[in-house]
Amino acid sequence: MTHNPKFYNLEEVEDLARKVLPKAVHDYFATGADTNTTLHDNRQAYQRLRIVPRVMVNVSNIDLTYELLGRKLSMPVLVAPMSAMLMAHKQGEPATARAAVAANTSMIVSTMATTSLEGVAAASQGSPLIIFQLYVQRDRDFTASLIRRAEKAGYGAIMVTVDSPRVGNREADERNKYKIRDDLAYENLRELAPRVQAHDRISAAGTVNIFNTNMDDTLTWDFVLWVRTVTKLPVFVKGVLSPKDARSAVDAGVDGLVLSNHGGRQLDHSPAPLDMIASVRRAIGYRVPLLMDGGIRRGTDVLKALALGADAVLLGRPVMFGLALDGQKGVERVLEVLRRELELAMVLAGCSSLSDISKDLLMQYPASML
């Protein structure tokens, strides 16, 4: 069923989606680990910063375009990897892919998608760049097969998630007895089916079992060298927060980094990615692109992340909730609202292009005032 309530910003879209999604499904998408402290801090981090605008600047022409891996995107906002989109809407991942194409930006496709990576690629015709997010399996032959499938299907990069040797403690899923529908599966993991109990395919506990049984918890930075033997595609890593880890990743030869705490769904009380941008940028310089995710809801949020030193951001939950509300059109509206807000924020801050955005636009807001 498609719902088409009007929303004017991305803070409203979750409240609207909550009304149309089953509670267990909404909570699966919306909640984090343990006490949700990190989940909430991801948003609060933006509130601790204020923007000091520059005036008397020619802002008659605003250029939001961003180039990643030689591909030009319409804005420095990519669609984050998210699992089980068919639980949100019958159009699922293909609708999100088509919306990303319409916005001329990049979608990052999850290993845990409910549509095969080939199916999402087919829906991404005309995309400037699609990226495959990889959860590394203990079975390296199977992992290599996923990478090769992505390369054959036309993906332009591999993004390895490195913050999930085990799945975080997501109590809402257990409380709600969350499961994906019987007619759905994690399509990219079908070859693992003989090793997974039938109930594990659909239950919240089963998702944990899939991770804890099959995901490789022995990974070190040597993995980057192994990936290079499988593919010539650029390799990003997602889930880094420590400046030391960021430096190790770059030294290992990665082509890009994503600062992320998995939307607050893994280690609770880990820092907000926004708070780590400046120190990670100092640690790695400008050797590789530095992206981030977590808590983006406003164009001013994107502006703040870029001012601190990020090159681009990944947008997650609002995309999922836009999908729940109105399929492809809902995702298109989410992306358009954020693009429009970012453009206006740049105009009012005195920035005509992304290169004009710098850290001197920001001031720390006194904690006593929050």
Side-chain angles (χ1 to χ4, degrees):
M1 183 176 180
T2 293
H3 304 263
N4 191 22
K6 183 173 287 188
F7 56 90
Y8 296 93
N9 60 67
L10 304 195
E11 293 173 303
E12 294 176 348
V13 70
E14 180 179 348
D15 289 337
L16 293 169
R18 183 183 290 110
K19 298 175 182 178
V20 303
L21 287 171
K23 176 177 170 53
V25 176
H26 168 269
D27 289 357
Y28 172 72
F29 294 139
T31 60
D34 291 352
T35 62
N36 291 308
T37 298
T38 291
L39 174 72
H40 295 141
D41 198 44
N42 282 354
R43 281 297 300 137
Q44 285 301 310
Y46 297 94
Q47 304 307 312
R48 295 192 284 267
L49 293 171
R50 293 295 183 266
I51 299 168
V52 183
R54 300 294 303 273
V55 297
M56 300 299 285
V57 177
N58 184 349
V59 288
S60 58
N61 292 296
I62 303 296
D63 182 9
L64 275 66
T65 57
Y66 169 63
E67 188 171 301
L68 180 64
L69 302 178
R71 318 286 183 89
K72 186 170 287 189
L73 311 183
S74 65
M75 58 181 169
V77 179
L78 294 76
V79 175
M82 292 171 282
S83 72
M85 289 187 177
L86 281 169
M87 290 294 289
H89 193 276
K90 64 182 180 181
Q91 297 175 4
E93 289 89 358
T96 303
R98 290 190 292 269
V101 171
N104 196 37
T105 193
S106 175
M107 178 179 177
I108 305 163
V109 180
S110 174
T111 295
M112 305 293 285
T114 39
T115 304
S116 70
L117 65 90
E118 291 87 357
V120 183
S124 300
Q125 294 301 310
S127 170
L129 177 66
I130 51 173
I131 298 172
F132 181 63
Q133 175 271 331
L134 177 69
Y135 284 119
V136 180
Q137 316 294 308
R138 292 181 180 177
D139 184 336
R140 287 295 174 89
D141 289 338
F142 178 74
T143 299
S145 74
L146 286 177
I147 296 170
R148 293 188 180 109
R149 283 172 57 192
E151 187 167 15
K152 182 178 180 181
Y155 287 77
I158 302 296
M159 183 175 288
V160 183
T161 294
V162 295
D163 61 5
S164 303
R166 297 185 184 179
V167 73
N169 181 33
R170 302 171 192 174
E171 295 172 2
D173 294 343
E174 292 299 324
R175 187 176 298 113
N176 295 329
K177 295 180 169 52
Y178 168 80
K179 63 178 183 178
I180 65 172
R181 296 197 314 266
D182 291 350
D183 61 315
L184 300 179
Y186 300 116
E187 292 292 341
N188 298 313
L189 301 182
R190 276 193 178 275
E191 292 180 33
L192 292 179
R195 307 173 215 178
V196 178
Q197 295 298 317
H199 78 278
D200 286 353
R201 184 178 66 81
I202 61 174
S203 67
T207 301
V208 174
N209 288 344
I210 289 171
F211 266 82
N212 293 348
T213 302
N214 295 292
M215 302 304 170
D216 192 341
D217 58 2
T218 69
L219 283 186
T220 68
W221 293 115
D222 290 340
F223 175 76
V224 178
L225 298 176
W226 178 83
V227 173
R228 298 294 189 199
T229 69
V230 178
T231 182
K232 297 185 183 304
L233 290 177
V235 178
F236 283 62
V237 293
K238 176 179 179 288
V240 170
L241 289 169
S242 160
K244 290 183 179 180
D245 283 345
R247 191 180 299 113
S248 295
V250 175
D251 289 344
V254 303
D255 299 290
L257 294 174
V258 181
L259 301 183
S260 176
N261 56 33
H262 217 106
R265 292 162 66 83
Q266 284 298 100
L267 177 64
D268 200 21
H269 294 273
S270 59
L274 188 79
D275 290 334
M276 302 307 299
I277 295 172
S279 59
V280 168
R281 179 58 84 188
R282 286 193 297 271
I284 67 170
Y286 290 85
R287 296 162 63 187
V288 300
L290 179 62
L291 286 62
M292 64 82 66
D293 70 6
I296 297 286
R297 297 294 183 275
R298 290 282 185 174
T300 49
D301 297 339
V302 181
L303 184 70
K304 290 173 183 179
L306 301 186
L308 287 169
D311 293 305
V313 305
L314 277 54
L315 184 67
R317 288 182 173 96
V319 168
M320 187 70 82
F321 295 134
L323 177 69
L325 287 175
D326 200 15
Q328 177 180 339
K329 290 181 180 179
V331 178
E332 287 180 6
R333 179 161 176 79
V334 163
L335 295 173
E336 174 56 25
V337 166
L338 190 61
R339 188 206 64 78
R340 190 169 63 243
E341 284 191 3
L342 174 58
E343 180 178 3
L344 181 58
M346 288 174 62
V347 168
L348 298 179
C351 302
S352 61
S353 68
L354 301 183
S355 62
D356 294 330
I357 301 173
S358 61
K359 62 183 179 180
D360 60 3
L361 285 174
L362 300 181
M363 63 169 282
Q364 193 80 24
Y365 203 61
S368 60
M369 301 293 289
L370 295 176

